[in-house]
Amino acid sequence: MRLNRRLLALFSIIFFIPLNAFASIRVKLSSLNIQDRIHIGVYGNYIVNDKLSFQKGSEIVVVKYEDGLMLYHEGLAYSAGKEVIFKRLAGDLSQENGLRLEHRLELYEGSLKLSVQDGRILAVVDIPLENYLQGVVPYEMGDSFPLEALKAQAVAARTYAKANINPSSYYDVEDNTNDQVFRGKNTEHKNSVLAINDTEGECLYYGNSFAKCYYTASNGGKIETNSAVWGGKKEPYLIEKEDPYDFENPNSKVRSASIPKKWDTKTGDKLSRLLIQYALAEIEKAGYLAEEQYISIDEIKNLEIIENGENTYFKINVHFIAPKPVRLGSDDEEVSLFDNDNTPTTPMPTDMPVSYDSLRTESFALQIPYYKQIETALDISINGKNNEVISLKETDTAYIVQARRFGHGVGMSQRGAEQMAGKYNKTYRDILAFYYPDTTLKRTVLTSPPPQDTIPIEFLRTPGPPPTATPRPTLMPLTLKNDEQKAVVLNIGKNSTLNLRSAPSLSAKIQMQLFYGQELAVIERLPVGWLKVRTDAVEGYIVEEFVNLKQD
C-alpha cells in the first residue's frame, strides 16, 4: 500500500496561473423531470426577459403553451414568447440570492433560461463554477466524509466541469450521473463548502489540458482504465491497478453468496435450475432422461473463475442424480443398456417397453457466463453494468462468491478516498496522486461574471407604456340549477382575467377569459385543484384557487 514516491514528487507542485477568465457553467436540469410546467420560487434579485421584476418570496409558474411559454403570478398571466430568462442581479452577500425550483429546499444561485425543445420545457441554469460545486460535492460524496476526501472530490469535480465547458453547445453538463449530480446549494453542507473554498481554483492537468477526472463510488479494489470501460484512446494517467484502500473500506459495496458443496435435496432455487438447464444437453447425450423435474444436484466438486477477454465464466463440476432408462426384456427381466461401458450401444427398438425407475449419477463440467446468469441466480448483482470485481473463496463446506464495485471503476474511488483520508491521514494531494498519477495540480485565478446592479439603469430609465383603460364587457349571466354550488372569480386582480380552459390542464386550449366578479356554477370538483364550471353561455375548467366558493 506504499505510494510511488516518484509520482508524488511529480504531482505535488502547485502552479499559480493568473487567468482573467469568467468561471461559470451552464447546467441542464434533467433530474427535475420538467414536462410542460415548472414552479419557481424567487429568493433573490431577478428580472425576467429584461421586462419584469418580482419581490423576494414570489411564487411563479411557467407553463408551455403551444410552442411558447406563459408565466403566471398571483392570477396574472404574461406571454413570454419562445424563451424565459430569469437573470440574476447583484444582492446583499449576507442574504439569499437564488431560485428554488419545484418546491425544493436547495437554492440555485444562478440565472435560469427556459425554452421549449422537443415538446417540453428545457431548463438550463447558468451558475458561477464555485457555486455549482456546492451543489455537486455533498451529493456526489456526502458531507460526512473526511475533509481531505471532500477536497479531492472538489478538485475532481471542478476539473471535470471545466473540461466540459463548451460555448458552442446549449449547455455544458447535465445535473445527473450522465455528468455530475447537481442539486443546488444547501446551507447544512458546511464541510463541503469548506473543502471547495480551501481548494478554490485548483484543477488537475495532464500537460496543458484538463485531466479527465472520472470518479466512481467504489471500484471493488481494482481501478479500471477508461479504454477498458468505454473504448477509445487510453489515457496514460487512468491506469489499471489494485486499490487496497477501497478493498479494505468496510463501507465499500460488497454482495456475497454461498454455493454449498453438498446438496442434500433438489432445492428448486434459481442456481439449481440454472445448473440443470446448462447440463440438460450433456445429460441427454449420456443417455439420461433430460427432463428438469426428474434431475437433482448431489454435489459441486469444483468451481473456478475463468476470464476470457471481456467475458467472465464460472467453470463448475457438478454431480447430478438423474433417471437412466432401462429396457424390459421379453421375460420381464430388466436389462440395462449401460451396465457394460464396453458393450456397443444399439438403438432401442421403438416397441420395446422402457423404465426410468433406475436413478444413476454422473458428473459434468459446465462453463456458465457469470454476468446475467450466475450473478442473477445468486442475486448478487450490484449495479447491472457487468463490471463487478468477482472473487472466490473455498471453505470446507462451500464456495463463497463475492461481488464488489459500485460504478464504472475508472479514476478516483470515493470509498478509497474516504479510507485514505480517514484511516491513513492522507491529504487530498496524496489521494489525487494515487488515482491520477503523473497529473499536475494547478490553481487558476478564476473570476465569476459580475452580476448586474440590483436594478439595471436601463430598466429604471425606460418608461413603461402609459396605462390605458380596458373596456370591461358585461359579465355573463348565470342561472343556478338545483344543488349547484356557486363560485365567484375574486382571487385575481380587478384588471386581470382568469383563463377558462377546455380541459383541466394549463396546456389545454383557452376557450375565453373570465373577468373579476364573474359568477360560475360548479359542475364538478376535481382532485387536482381544478373545477369544472359553467355559465349560461359556456362551460370549461378553471384553477380552483382563483375563485371563492359560495354556500347559498
Side-chain angles (χ1 to χ4, degrees), residues 12-25:
S12 58
I13 302 172
I14 297 182
F15 293 85
F16 295 86
I17 301 176
L19 180 62
N20 185 18
F22 291 150
S24 64
I25 189 167

Side-chain angles (χ1 to χ4, degrees), residues 388-439:
E388 292 96 338
V389 177
I390 311 304
S391 62
L392 187 64
K393 179 182 178 182
E394 183 177 358
T395 68
D396 292 339
T397 60
Y399 295 96
I400 308 301
V401 183
Q402 285 192 330
R404 299 172 179 269
R405 182 175 289 168
F406 189 49
H408 48 68
V410 181
M412 183 180 71
S413 162
Q414 293 168 325
R415 288 303 180 188
E418 178 186 34
Q419 191 77 348
M420 290 182 73
K423 183 175 180 180
Y424 295 100
N425 297 318
K426 301 294 185 182
T427 69
Y428 75 99
R429 298 181 196 176
D430 297 330
I431 295 169
L432 295 171
F434 177 74
Y435 288 109
Y436 309 103
D438 288 331
T439 58

Side-chain angles (χ1 to χ4, degrees), residues 65-186:
Y65 178 67
E66 295 179 349
D67 292 330
L69 295 168
M70 296 287 293
L71 186 150
Y72 294 90
H73 172 62
E74 295 184 352
L76 301 177
Y78 165 66
S79 179
K82 300 288 186 180
E83 217 171 53
V84 174
I85 299 177
F86 284 76
K87 187 182 296 182
R88 183 172 179 252
L89 310 176
D92 188 335
L93 296 179
S94 66
Q95 297 180 357
E96 290 185 331
N97 191 14
L99 303 171
R100 288 191 167 89
L101 308 178
E102 298 293 89
H103 305 286
R104 299 190 181 189
L105 174 65
E106 294 82 9
L107 193 70
Y108 291 78
E109 298 178 311
S111 297
L112 179 66
K113 184 176 182 179
L114 305 174
S115 59
V116 178
Q117 294 192 19
D118 298 324
R120 57 189 293 181
I121 295 177
L122 173 63
V124 175
V125 62
D126 190 333
I127 184 170
L129 180 59
E130 300 299 312
N131 298 66
Y132 164 73
L133 292 176
Q134 293 185 29
V136 173
V137 173
Y139 297 99
E140 280 286 2
M141 181 169 274
D143 200 60
S144 61
F145 272 58
L147 181 60
E148 292 300 309
L150 288 167
K151 289 180 182 180
Q153 178 67 69
V155 173
R158 183 184 292 111
T159 307
Y160 182 92
K162 287 290 292 179
N164 281 276
I165 291 177
N166 183 4
S168 65
S169 294
Y170 196 80
Y171 57 88
D172 301 309
V173 294
E174 294 188 59
D175 67 348
N176 55 29
T177 53
N178 289 341
D179 289 297
Q180 301 184 122
V181 174
F182 169 69
R183 294 292 181 267
K185 178 181 178 180
N186 186 328

Side-chain angles (χ1 to χ4, degrees), residues 368-381:
I368 305 176
Y370 173 80
Y371 297 112
K372 306 301 183 186
Q373 298 288 334
I374 296 291
E375 71 169 2
T376 301
L378 295 178
D379 194 25
I380 58 173
S381 175

